[in-house]
Amino acid sequence: MLLDKDIEKVLFSQEEIDTKIKEIAEQINKEYQGKEVILVGILKGSFAFMSKLIEYIDLYCSIDFIVCSSYVGTKSTGLIHIDSDMKVNAEGKDVILIEDIVDTGLTVSAIKDVVTKRGASSVKIASLLHKPCNNKYHVVPDWYAFEIGNEFVVGFGLDYNQLYRNLPYIGVLKPDIYTKQNN
Ligand code: 5GP
């Protein structure tokens, strides 16, 4: 692939990601058996995780999205902005927020608060990745595929300045990619 040359190391292969996502879906299927759920993807980063996850979800579910942003480059701004809100009414519903990565936990905790205040009967979090070392908001996803250390990763939906989301695996960029783009 054209983008492979920018990757220093592959952390999780396409096959490993697929296996873990299937396991998460099976746990969700079991927990919500007989119920209807709303799956809310937090865009943009969650689109790849969400589309793979729903292939294995065996429940009546509606799909919705919240578009929000908290990152510029590789640094968190400490603020989240809802650029586009979900359209389905969450009142009295079981909601699962789908996130690409829980880093400080700011994004999911802010969105969980918003959806809870709208009267959802439950709000849980499924995240592809969990980065516990920065977890200022003490959010532990209810389900996550992989835990990672203090590194900036790309691929499978995760970007660096809007690029690399289309990598089918998760990896770490070569340092010169940041220096090249920051100069
Ligand atoms: P949080 O609000 O939990 O601090 O950060 C969540 C958002 O930050 C994620 O949805 C993601 O967009 C971005 N983010 C955090 N860590 C990384 C990372 O290692 N790589 C990429 N590409 N984005 C990250």
Side-chain angles (χ1 to χ4, degrees):
M1 213 181 164
L2 170 71
L3 308 179
D4 291 341
K5 66 175 185 346
D6 297 348
I7 300 298
E8 181 161 87
K9 97 184 146 174
V10 175
L11 293 182
F12 308 109
S13 69
Q14 195 169 5
E15 294 71 29
E16 288 172 308
I17 295 170
D18 191 72
T19 304
K20 285 285 187 182
I21 294 179
K22 194 170 178 202
E23 283 171 21
I24 292 176
E26 282 162 1
Q27 290 166 23
I28 291 175
N29 290 339
K30 220 169 162 185
E31 182 159 339
Y32 293 88
Q33 202 180 15
K35 293 185 176 170
E36 192 178 310
V37 295
I38 309 177
L39 301 174
V40 181
I42 302 175
L43 293 177
K44 297 177 190 174
S46 69
F47 74 94
F49 174 39
M50 187 162 181
S51 69
K52 186 48 77 182
L53 185 73
I54 60 167
E55 284 179 27
Y56 301 120
I57 292 287
D58 189 19
L59 298 168
Y60 287 97
C61 61
S62 45
I63 306 289
D64 209 340
F65 298 98
I66 289 180
V67 184
C68 70
S69 39
S70 75
Y71 257 62
V72 176
T74 60
K75 297 268 183 311
S76 175
T77 59
L79 297 168
I80 85 136
H81 181 256
I82 295 186
D83 303 320
S84 170
D85 208 341
M86 61 187 284
K87 307 287 183 293
V88 176
N89 184 357
E91 201 179 334
K93 299 284 170 56
D94 291 304
V95 176
I96 303 176
L97 302 176
I98 314 286
E99 176 64 304
D100 54 355
I101 181 167
V102 174
D103 180 18
T104 65
L106 171 70
T107 309
V108 277
S109 66
I111 293 178
K112 188 173 175 173
D113 281 357
V114 168
V115 178
T116 303
K117 282 191 188 122
R118 289 175 184 170
S121 54
S122 71
V123 186
K124 290 205 172 187
I125 299 160
S127 183
L128 179 63
L129 300 172
H130 179 34
K131 205 192 258 189
C133 55
N134 287 333
N135 209 298
K136 266 205 275 185
Y137 294 82
H138 312 291
V139 180
V140 180
D142 298 279
W143 307 274
Y144 58 91
F146 306 101
E147 188 172 302
I148 62 165
N150 193 15
E151 49 200 347
F152 189 83
V153 299
V154 294
F156 210 80
L158 291 121
D159 73 310
Y160 171 61
N161 283 346
Q162 301 304 327
L163 299 177
Y164 303 100
R165 295 192 197 272
N166 55 324
L167 276 179
Y169 54 83
I170 296 167
V172 178
L173 280 176
K174 289 181 179 161
D176 64 302
I177 302 293
Y178 305 119
T179 32
K180 236 193 285 172
Q181 295 202 12
N182 289 334
N183 287 333

